[in-house]
Amino acid sequence: MRKNEISIGDAIRYFIEDHNFQERVLESQAIEAWEQQTSEQMKKYTRQIFMRKRILYVQISAPSIVQELDYGKNRMRELINETLGLEFVKDIKFI
């Protein structure tokens, strides 16, 4: 590499940092981590997943499942944050 050249990975990283896309990238990674952590059965009941202000919102079609998920949401949040490598997700809300 020449003295003034940078790798593509570094260029992308600088672009993300310069344009404040870091938050959106982390949101996308948190949603992906949720999908990786949940079972195939749970995915059948999941209608929509989105993030707003570091809160992960998961729309579930079965109210009985929402109650079950509520009990384990803190552990799920911890697993997602471990996957991300930082405390990014503040809470998980089931709607």
Side-chain angles (χ1 to χ4, degrees):
M1 239 188 305
R2 295 182 186 140
K3 191 174 185 177
N4 62 347
E5 291 181 356
I6 60 172
S7 70
I8 292 175
D10 287 340
I12 292 169
R13 199 171 9 267
Y14 294 142
F15 179 81
I16 288 170
E17 289 170 2
D18 287 349
H19 293 85
N20 296 321
F21 289 135
Q22 188 75 19
E23 187 93 3
R24 288 187 183 203
V25 169
L26 287 169
E27 287 175 355
S28 178
Q29 290 173 338
I31 290 169
E32 186 176 317
W34 166 268
E35 291 172 345
Q36 290 173 353
Q37 300 288 339
T38 56
S39 67
E40 289 301 316
Q41 185 69 19
M42 185 58 58
K43 289 177 185 175
K44 291 178 184 178
Y45 294 107
T46 303
R47 296 290 171 235
Q48 184 180 16
I49 306 168
F50 62 95
M51 287 203 69
R52 198 168 283 142
K53 297 184 181 181
R54 295 191 175 199
I55 297 173
L56 180 66
Y57 292 89
V58 183
Q59 184 180 19
I60 303 291
S61 63
S64 59
I65 303 248
V66 170
Q67 189 174 14
E68 277 183 50
L69 287 171
D70 236 6
Y71 291 121
K73 75 178 187 177
N74 287 330
R75 180 66 185 134
M76 195 62 170
R77 183 184 55 79
E78 290 170 2
L79 288 171
I80 292 170
N81 285 331
E82 282 177 25
T83 301
L84 296 176
L86 68 140
E87 282 292 314
F88 180 74
V89 178
K90 294 179 186 176
D91 196 10
I92 299 175
K93 301 223 183 238
F94 300 102
I95 54 174

